[in-house]
Amino acid sequence: MKIVVFGASGRVGQHVVRLALEKGIEVTAFVRTPSKLQISHPFLHIYHGNALQADDVATAIKGQNAVVSCLASSKGLKESTELSKMIENIVLGMQTGHVNRIVYTASAGIDGEIPGISGKMVMKTLKYPLLDHRHAVDTIMNYNLDYTIVRPMGLTNEAPTGIYREAIEGIPEKGRSIARVDVANFILKALEDPKYSNLSISIAN
């Protein structure tokens, strides 16, 4: 299998790249700053590009079997349409390159699904990033793609557990957080397992 990983130099993306290579998957890591990706492997190809540039995106996607997005907005908690613009470039590039499979890493809260007072506070704080993710997800769903949307709870740098709970509706019961490396593990699991096709899954440790 050949995949392109957008956001490959990020804290989840680097785990995805490393774990994919360990599984024998050929990886094209799409990065704006190649020096941030401290990984070397015979199956690894570095693509230096900008996901806001449609030509860069289309070139990187050509010849791949699937797309993984671990993109995040550079605007932090501020209002932005950066993610949705990048995803629009990606889905157009997928159409041009005849690639149909995508796993998109969003966040719990894009459906307003985190319960309780603390959940409402988290979703209020993350209002703009969640809106941008939601718009990106809507774009993916509006195209005839084979997608999996991953909605992790709060991300941590804890050691991998290899154990995570999944929920199609809402979030896993009493779910609060998940290690970034476990998110990466789930992304690759979902990529290869057809039972996750056209589903949005929330995950937590």
Side-chain angles (χ1 to χ4, degrees):
M1 178 182 281
K2 296 172 64 176
I3 67 172
V4 56
V5 180
F6 290 90
S9 63
R11 289 184 286 178
V12 173
Q14 293 209 37
H15 287 303
V16 171
V17 171
R18 177 179 55 81
L19 292 175
L21 292 169
E22 289 175 2
K23 291 168 69 71
I25 296 172
E26 190 173 340
V27 178
T28 296
F30 189 103
V31 290
R32 291 186 69 170
T33 310
S35 61
K36 289 184 178 180
L37 188 65
Q38 301 295 318
I39 301 173
S40 179
H41 193 281
F43 289 171
L44 176 62
H45 312 284
I46 306 295
Y47 190 98
H48 183 194
N50 182 345
L52 290 170
Q53 299 297 322
D55 288 345
D56 284 355
V57 171
T59 301
I61 290 173
K62 186 177 180 181
Q64 307 292 338
N65 299 121
V67 172
V68 172
S69 172
C70 300
L71 290 167
S73 173
S74 65
K75 305 300 183 182
L77 299 179
K78 296 179 181 178
E79 188 171 5
S80 173
T81 58
E82 194 172 75
L83 281 171
S84 48
K85 288 177 180 176
M86 290 189 286
I87 289 301
E88 184 170 349
N89 286 339
I90 287 172
V91 296
L92 290 174
M94 291 175 69
Q95 287 197 322
T96 301
H98 306 290
V99 178
N100 197 47
R101 183 77 176 107
I102 181 170
V103 178
Y104 178 80
T105 312
S107 171
I110 62 168
D111 299 323
E113 76 275 31
I114 307 177
I117 295 174
S118 60
K120 287 183 172 59
M121 291 175 64
V122 167
M123 290 186 292
K124 183 176 181 180
T125 300
L126 298 177
K127 175 183 176 180
Y128 292 122
L130 291 176
L131 277 174
D132 205 6
H133 273 305
R134 181 68 255 172
H135 292 153
V137 168
D138 288 342
T139 297
I140 291 169
M141 291 181 171
N142 285 338
Y143 286 78
N144 189 27
L145 299 174
D146 178 3
Y147 66 82
T148 302
I149 308 302
V150 184
R151 295 180 284 113
M153 293 297 291
L155 298 173
T156 75
N157 291 322
E158 298 294 325
T161 66
I163 301 170
Y164 36 77
R165 297 175 296 127
E166 307 170 14
I168 297 174
E169 299 292 335
I171 63 169
E173 186 177 0
K174 297 182 180 178
R176 292 185 178 274
S177 64
I178 185 166
R180 287 180 170 88
V181 64
D182 283 330
V183 175
N185 185 284
F186 176 79
I187 287 169
L188 293 172
K189 174 185 173 184
L191 184 67
E192 297 180 304
D193 192 335
K195 80 175 185 180
Y196 293 105
S197 179
N198 296 332
L199 290 178
S200 176
I201 310 286
S202 181
I203 55 175
N205 287 134

